Amino acid sequence: MPLRPLWLCRVCAAPWPCGAARLTLVSEYAHDRVALNIYLCTVLHDAAADLYRLHPDTGPDPATLFARFLAWVPRTRPPADQQ
């Protein structure tokens, strides 16, 4: 879990989700990538609000937040019969 409102990893102090958190999340949601994406969209929304409150003049960059929270999620593969 991240350290809020900074959104840093509680273990390594890297921006959350750090590499270890990403591996854990992928493992925990291995059978439900849709749920992983929904969860990460929710925390992205929370992080954007927290980070905006911390830095109201500059605010968080949307593209950076997308890359940090969602772009790294492995895509689901099409069923074998559609490949």
Side-chain angles (χ1 to χ4, degrees):
M1 293 302 300
L3 176 63
R4 291 180 68 177
L6 300 174
W7 288 88
L8 298 176
C9 176
R10 293 176 184 269
V11 176
C12 68
W16 190 92
C18 63
R22 291 176 182 191
L23 289 173
T24 300
L25 288 165
V26 167
S27 175
E28 288 176 1
Y29 287 91
H31 300 295
D32 196 351
R33 292 288 163 81
V34 172
L36 174 58
N37 280 293
I38 291 169
Y39 170 70
L40 290 171
C41 285
T42 301
V43 295
L44 183 152
H45 182 266
D46 293 345
D50 286 348
L51 295 171
Y52 181 78
R53 277 192 293 279
L54 289 175
H55 307 284
D57 293 332
T58 57
D61 175 53
T64 301
L65 287 179
F66 176 82
R68 179 175 165 180
F69 285 90
L70 293 169
W72 59 269
V73 177
R75 305 294 184 260
T76 56
R77 295 183 185 153
D81 61 340
Q82 293 181 7
Q83 290 183 356

